Amino acid sequence: MFRPYFFLILTLFYCFSAQAQQPKKPTSSEIYQAIEKLNFLGSVLYLAAHPDDENTRLISHMANAVKARTAYLSLTRGDGGQNLIGPELRELLGVIRTQELVAARKIDGGEQLFTRANDFGYSKHPDETLAIWNKNEVLSDVVWAIRKFQPDVIINRFDHRSPGTTHGHHTSSAMLSVEAFDMAADKTKFPNQLKSVDVWQPRREFFNTSWWFYGSKEKFDAADKTNQFAIDVGAFYPALGLSNPEIAALSRSSHKSQGFGNTGTRGNDFEYLELIKGDLPKDKNNIFEGIDTSWNRVKDGKPIGDLLHKIQESYDFTNPSGSIPKLVEAYRLIQNLESSHWKTIKSEDLKNIIAACAGLYLEVAAESNTATPNSTIKLNLEAINRSPQKMTLTSIVLSGGTMVKENTDLKFNESHRFNSPLNIPSDASCSSPYWLNSKGTLGMYRVDDQRLNGLPETPKTITATFNVLINGEILSYSRPVIYKINDPVKGEYYKPFEIVPEVAAHISEPVIIFADEESKDIQVVVKAYRNNLDGFVQLAHPRGWEIYPEKQNVNILHKGEEQTLIFKVTPPKDQSEGLMTPMVHIGKEVYTKKLVEINYGHIPFQLVLLPSESKVVRLNIHKKGENIGYIEGAGDVVPESLRQIGYHVAIIKPEDINAETLSRFDAIVLGIRAYNTVDALKFKQKLLFDFVEQGGNLIVQYNTTGGMVVDELAPYPLELSRDRVTDENAEVTLLNTNSALLNYPNKITLNDFDGWVQERGLYFPDKWSKEFTPVLSMHDQGESPKKGSLLVAKYGKGHYIYTGLSFFREFPEGVAGAYRLFANMLSIGKETINSNQSLKN
């Protein structure tokens, strides 16, 4: 009998996760399946580079069918990708994708681990990847993960023997895994780690291969499979009414920011594993063959295994609490073991199973979802034993040692509620993703505390510990403080409880463009996180910029309220850029951080504390035309950015695309991946081409090669490729120096390509008809020139422009040259032609 997917991580039994979601309340059959899990002492570590790289079918199979402790080690948090659900990029996207991975593991039954590697964007070769990441530091993190998790088996998603054939991050993940396989057992490697963990040698390592890596199914079928395993991962779990691939599809669908919704399948489904290290199992249906996964692998463990088998055999589905005395006995035996690794894991599992058998509900909820250091907050605590098992709540101890309650008999189904103030220490750290607390590098996050390294989330430090006496044994249950309300629509709704600064402030726009010397009013939003906030605000600014007034008072009576202050900012006459930061003075303290809220329904509410910085840019920029229509794609901030330089930008819904609507605009811009994500565009393409033919400008930003909703991307033949230039500093050649795109109304020079971030562009066309004129050429080191980054064609009276340049990344960073070039794209066709000069396409 298989255990259900949402109970595979036993430490989540009936307790609040760090996400502060509603706690699970296991059924009798789910408790039974958790007891089955207690008798398997084996671990699998799946390893790849990014969120979404993991094979959820194999992770689910290992956790569900095999019942192995299974984890996914993602080297990065996916910071460098695109976001299909909102505007968040880089670090904030990494926070979203971290939570999506955690949600996926709750579905497929795995645990989630990370390294400090930063997803800096696409990389074509592991040499580049490992230079930017700092190979030695990421390798140390992989070794740390192996030593801490102690896997018997490691499975790599990618092939370590194929550098240059796929994303450099992918190959690097496998190369580091192979190197760490033996290094983790070597005491001379990263010896400082041994203060916290022991050396560990995995037994064997596999490459999770498939026909895709061979180029075709025919080549895969013909390949030598001496060292390969074919594992059927298509099992059906009667307790769930779901197949393993259906569970995997639900897990995969957690990656909503990447648009990876997946449909489950039924029936036999095979995954292939190629042995690359360790001994070859004789039984190709069992990757643990030859590894003792029973309690016999632990000294003095056999009596525990025998007892747990008896508990399993005698389990009464109508009365789970009847198993509690024997479960407590097993817990007591485990405390006498020498093995700290399995002792720790199985002790926690047993405690949570005992609580589940008793229906033991323990909760500590705050009156607010935030509190500041050196403040006091009211807590509501609840304890109830919903079983006939006798037990006593010997004490409740809050963080800092405050005793709330002692020696309370928890009688059957009798609720006990307590109130207590909680004093937040003055030195309490504010809540935020730990990997963002210190400034890192392009390739690495900085984590100073080794104990945090690899964790998916920052551990909660404000907790209550419920000590419960059951059958002569005191079991301690730690519960993080949470916040919950009754939402009229959602019902019982949970949020994490966070420690925040007493005030946070941000400038309303992350990037502010000054297209001329005129002053702009800038809004500074100040939010109080305590009552009676009184102080003043100044703006730190680059030299040459003028701010009026120099400072303004801020007075906020109630916690949670905001006050908006208006500062007049005057730029210098010449081109200039820099950072502007609100400084909020409260007493002797100066606050310079902002709190960013991430609020999507599929992940828990997140508060991220970041430096409060907005980029201000004084541009020497000219533009023609006023009204721009924008058809949104996968999500970007291009419309807001164009408004910054004085354009009137209207969002056009696909259903509103018609000749009359289009005629109102000087140019129409399609958002990134619009032809991949907006199905309705398949019916609107002719209308867009007609708009161009009648004199309009159509700018199409990048699309990927797969899943296009239109057959004809352009009015002339145009084919996309996977060509991209990942080096943001790659040399650019101006191919057509007479092109209007390089001359009007702004003279574009090579200097306009300085300061670009993450990449030059992606998914460039590689074939196009003679009507198109390529404007730029660029390439990564060692590659042929790529001329498809910016193409323009005259069509009728108007112009069609296709660009794979990554404007969606450059605009949020305030890259001056990107704005100037885009203004030229919008202005094409509006130049003044005289007898002395002719500006060509």
Side-chain angles (χ1 to χ4, degrees):
M1 189 175 190
F2 298 108
R3 37 198 273 286
Y5 66 90
F6 46 87
F7 260 83
L8 301 181
I9 306 174
L10 294 177
T11 55
L12 294 180
F13 251 26
Y14 202 67
C15 67
F16 292 97
S17 71
Q19 295 183 335
Q21 292 175 309
Q22 188 171 4
K24 299 292 186 181
K25 303 176 181 69
T27 66
S28 180
S29 60
E30 292 163 355
I31 295 170
Y32 174 78
Q33 292 163 66
I35 292 172
E36 285 186 305
K37 172 80 170 182
L38 291 172
N39 274 317
F40 193 92
L41 280 66
S43 301
V44 176
L45 181 66
Y46 198 90
L47 192 148
H50 311 106
D52 83 10
D53 285 345
E54 79 274 26
N55 186 332
T56 55
R57 297 188 307 176
L58 198 52
I59 291 175
S60 178
H61 171 80
M62 292 299 166
N64 281 323
V66 179
K67 298 183 176 64
R69 183 171 177 246
T70 307
Y72 173 44
L73 174 59
S74 177
L75 297 197
T76 76
R77 297 176 185 266
D79 325 70
Q82 286 92 52
N83 183 1
L84 297 188
I85 61 173
E88 296 88 356
L89 292 174
R90 294 301 311 151
E91 291 85 357
L92 295 179
L93 179 57
V95 173
I96 291 172
R97 290 190 171 179
T98 293
Q99 290 300 325
E100 289 177 339
L101 272 178
V102 172
R105 298 294 79 79
K106 288 181 180 298
I107 293 172
D108 61 38
E111 300 175 41
Q112 186 59 52
L113 305 172
F114 292 96
T115 73
R116 290 170 293 166
N118 191 341
D119 179 4
F120 56 84
Y122 193 88
S123 175
K124 294 181 177 178
H125 199 280
D127 289 349
E128 176 197 35
T129 299
L130 296 174
I132 295 176
W133 272 355
N134 187 326
K135 176 187 174 182
N136 194 60
E137 289 188 8
V138 183
L139 180 60
S140 75
D141 289 353
V142 178
V143 169
W144 168 261
I146 293 172
R147 287 172 172 174
K148 190 175 181 182
F149 190 74
Q150 296 190 10
D152 300 297
V153 176
I154 296 177
I155 302 174
N156 297 331
R157 167 76 281 187
F158 300 105
D159 189 353
H160 66 290
R161 300 158 295 192
S162 57
T165 62
T166 182
H167 198 323
H169 297 182
H170 292 167
T171 310
S172 296
S173 70
M175 293 168 63
L176 293 169
S177 176
V178 170
E179 192 170 349
F181 181 85
D182 293 314
M183 193 175 286
D186 187 342
K187 291 183 177 181
T188 67
K189 306 298 183 183
F190 310 112
N192 288 339
Q193 295 181 2
L194 302 181
K195 299 174 184 177
S196 304
V197 294
D198 295 324
V199 294
W200 181 255
Q201 179 62 68
R203 180 69 173 268
R204 49 184 69 110
E205 185 169 23
F206 296 95
F207 161 43
N208 181 196
T209 188
S210 71
W211 69 264
W212 186 87
F213 291 98
Y214 286 78
S216 70
K217 292 183 179 179
E218 292 74 19
K219 291 181 180 179
F220 180 65
D221 291 340
D224 179 12
K225 296 185 175 58
T226 303
N227 288 340
Q228 285 189 17
F229 294 67
I231 299 177
D232 186 357
V233 296
F236 173 67
Y237 305 130
L240 283 177
L242 292 171
S243 69
N244 190 75
E246 286 174 320
I247 293 173
L250 291 171
S251 173
R252 183 79 170 169
S253 298
S254 296
H255 297 296
K256 298 188 186 304
S257 66
Q258 303 183 74
F260 281 159
N262 204 255
T263 300
T265 61
R266 290 145 294 281
N268 295 337
D269 201 353
F270 288 89
E271 288 291 337
Y272 297 90
L273 301 179
E274 177 189 352
L275 183 75
I276 55 176
K277 282 223 170 201
D279 60 318
L280 184 67
K282 297 177 182 178
D283 181 1
K284 290 195 174 184
N285 292 315
N286 180 15
I287 65 171
F288 284 95
E289 191 267 333
I291 302 172
D292 191 350
T293 58
S294 72
W295 278 95
N296 292 328
R297 78 178 296 174
V298 176
K299 182 181 178 182
D300 300 323
K302 186 177 183 304
I304 299 171
D306 292 341
L307 177 57
L308 290 174
H309 278 295
K310 290 178 181 178
I311 294 171
Q312 182 178 325
E313 292 171 358
S314 62
Y315 181 79
D316 184 350
F317 285 84
T318 65
N319 180 28
S321 63
S323 298
I324 291 177
K326 292 296 184 183
L327 288 168
V328 173
E329 183 181 344
Y331 176 86
R332 189 177 294 118
L333 288 174
I334 289 176
Q335 305 318 300
N336 297 323
L337 293 177
E338 295 179 4
S339 172
S340 60
H341 178 71
W342 287 110
K343 177 181 178 179
T344 300
I345 294 169
K346 297 301 183 181
S347 292
E348 197 67 22
D349 291 347
L350 265 167
K351 282 199 310 180
N352 290 317
I353 291 173
I354 291 168
C357 286
L360 180 61
Y361 189 90
L362 306 170
E363 180 182 271
V364 51
E367 63 182 352
S368 169
N369 71 310
T370 63
T372 59
N374 198 31
S375 67
T376 300
I377 193 164
K378 179 183 175 183
L379 298 180
N380 299 309
L381 301 97
E382 180 182 1
I384 183 171
N385 166 27
R386 292 173 287 184
S387 77
Q389 172 67 46
K390 291 183 178 181
M391 59 182 69
T392 301
L393 180 63
T394 60
S395 63
I396 305 176
V397 182
L398 302 181
S399 301
T402 301
M403 190 80 70
V404 175
K405 193 71 176 177
E406 295 183 85
N407 298 322
T408 301
D409 286 337
L410 299 181
K411 297 179 180 179
F412 175 63
N413 215 29
E414 186 177 293
S415 179
H416 298 270
R417 298 176 183 270
F418 317 100
N419 296 321
S420 175
L422 174 66
N423 297 318
I424 308 297
S426 58
D427 60 351
S429 298
C430 291
S431 306
S432 196
Y434 68 86
W435 61 94
L436 299 179
N437 285 340
S438 301
K439 186 175 179 59
T441 65
L442 172 64
M444 297 294 297
Y445 283 118
R446 177 180 169 182
V447 179
D448 296 324
D449 188 343
Q450 179 66 49
R451 295 170 300 176
L452 295 175
N453 200 1
L455 296 179
E457 303 170 286
T458 306
K460 298 298 181 183
T461 57
I462 308 299
T463 62
T465 299
F466 295 78
N467 297 305
V468 185
L469 178 65
I470 307 175
N471 264 51
E473 194 75 23
I474 293 181
L475 305 181
S476 296
Y477 295 94
S478 180
R479 297 288 185 264
V481 176
I482 54 89
Y483 171 71
K484 69 176 184 179
I485 58 173
N486 182 59
D487 184 272
V489 176
K490 299 176 182 178
E492 194 173 48
Y493 178 68
Y494 287 79
K495 276 187 177 182
F497 172 74
E498 310 283 15
I499 305 300
V500 298
E502 60 182 0
V503 65
H506 68 277
I507 297 173
S508 57
E509 298 291 340
V511 175
I512 304 172
I513 305 296
F514 292 77
D516 50 37
E517 299 178 39
E518 293 298 315
S519 300
K520 284 189 177 184
D521 288 340
I522 290 181
Q523 294 184 342
V524 176
V525 182
V526 183
K527 186 170 183 177
Y529 288 92
R530 68 165 173 84
N531 294 327
N532 300 315
L533 190 78
D534 189 10
F536 66 91
V537 178
Q538 292 178 301
L539 286 180
H541 58 85
R543 180 175 297 179
W545 294 69
E546 296 180 4
I547 310 296
Y548 180 83
E550 181 181 342
K551 64 180 180 179
Q552 294 191 56
N553 292 332
V554 59
N555 305 100
I556 303 177
L557 291 178
H558 301 110
K559 174 181 178 179
E561 288 187 338
E562 294 180 346
Q563 183 176 342
T564 300
L565 306 175
I566 306 297
F567 288 87
K568 184 178 290 295
V569 177
T570 305
K573 293 182 179 180
D574 298 323
Q575 189 156 311
S576 172
E577 62 182 58
L579 296 176
M580 193 168 286
T581 297
M583 300 186 299
V584 186
H585 297 255
I586 307 295
K588 296 181 180 180
E589 298 293 328
V590 180
Y591 296 88
T592 59
K593 296 290 183 74
K594 63 180 177 181
L595 269 174
V596 180
E597 296 183 359
I598 299 178
N599 192 11
Y600 293 103
H602 69 294
I603 60 174
F605 179 85
Q606 301 287 302
L607 278 178
V608 184
L609 187 65
L610 295 173
S612 185
E613 298 174 337
S614 286
K615 189 172 185 179
V616 289
V617 181
R618 165 68 172 97
L619 277 181
N620 291 320
I621 190 171
H622 305 282
K623 64 183 182 66
K624 291 294 182 180
E626 296 293 334
N627 300 310
I628 309 300
Y630 200 88
I631 301 170
E632 294 179 308
D636 56 56
V637 295
V638 173
E640 296 91 326
S641 301
L642 297 180
R643 293 183 185 114
Q644 291 265 9
I645 55 175
Y647 283 104
H648 302 294
V649 183
I651 303 300
I652 304 175
K653 295 181 179 180
E655 60 269 24
D656 294 333
I657 298 175
N658 56 58
E660 182 182 353
T661 297
L662 296 178
S663 67
R664 303 170 190 168
F665 300 101
D666 298 301
I668 301 295
V669 182
L670 268 69
I672 61 173
R673 295 179 64 184
Y675 286 128
N676 298 127
T677 59
V678 184
D679 288 340
L681 288 178
K682 70 177 68 174
F683 308 113
K684 303 294 184 178
Q685 190 73 323
K686 185 179 184 305
L687 290 168
L688 293 172
F689 292 166
D690 289 345
F691 166 77
V692 179
E693 191 173 25
Q694 294 165 16
N697 291 340
L698 178 63
I699 298 174
V700 179
Q701 298 181 85
Y702 97 94
N703 292 269
T704 61
T705 54
M708 297 280 287
V709 301
V710 294
D711 296 325
E712 295 179 346
L713 183 62
Y716 304 115
L718 178 70
E719 295 183 21
L720 299 184
S721 72
R722 297 182 66 85
D723 288 349
R724 62 202 301 162
V725 177
T726 62
D727 182 358
E728 62 269 33
N729 299 309
E731 182 179 353
V732 175
T733 300
L734 308 181
L735 291 176
N736 186 354
T737 56
N738 290 326
S739 171
L741 296 185
L742 299 180
N743 290 279
Y744 185 84
N746 304 287
K747 180 68 175 178
I748 301 299
T749 70
L750 294 180
N751 292 335
D752 287 295
F753 295 93
D754 292 342
W756 285 51
V757 298
Q758 187 159 328
E759 62 200 359
R760 290 294 191 196
L762 60 171
Y763 291 97
F764 298 162
D766 63 348
K767 296 179 182 178
W768 51 84
S769 68
K770 61 182 177 58
E771 287 82 4
F772 283 102
T773 300
V775 179
L776 306 172
S777 176
M778 57 191 71
H779 62 90
D780 283 323
Q781 185 176 1
E783 295 190 355
S784 61
K786 304 294 185 290
K787 299 181 180 180
S789 64
L790 181 58
L791 302 172
V792 58
K794 188 75 182 295
Y795 181 65
K797 299 177 181 179
H799 294 81
Y800 175 96
I801 297 174
Y802 188 91
T803 180
L805 294 172
S806 58
F807 291 102
F808 72 102
R809 294 198 189 280
E810 312 315 318
F811 285 172
E813 297 296 328
V815 177
Y819 280 90
R820 286 163 45 82
L821 179 56
F822 209 95
N824 282 12
M825 292 159 58
L826 292 169
S827 302
I828 192 169
K830 298 174 177 59
E831 59 269 28
T832 300
I833 305 296
N834 57 47
S835 59
N836 298 321
Q837 184 181 24
S838 176
L839 297 176
K840 302 177 182 178
N841 291 339

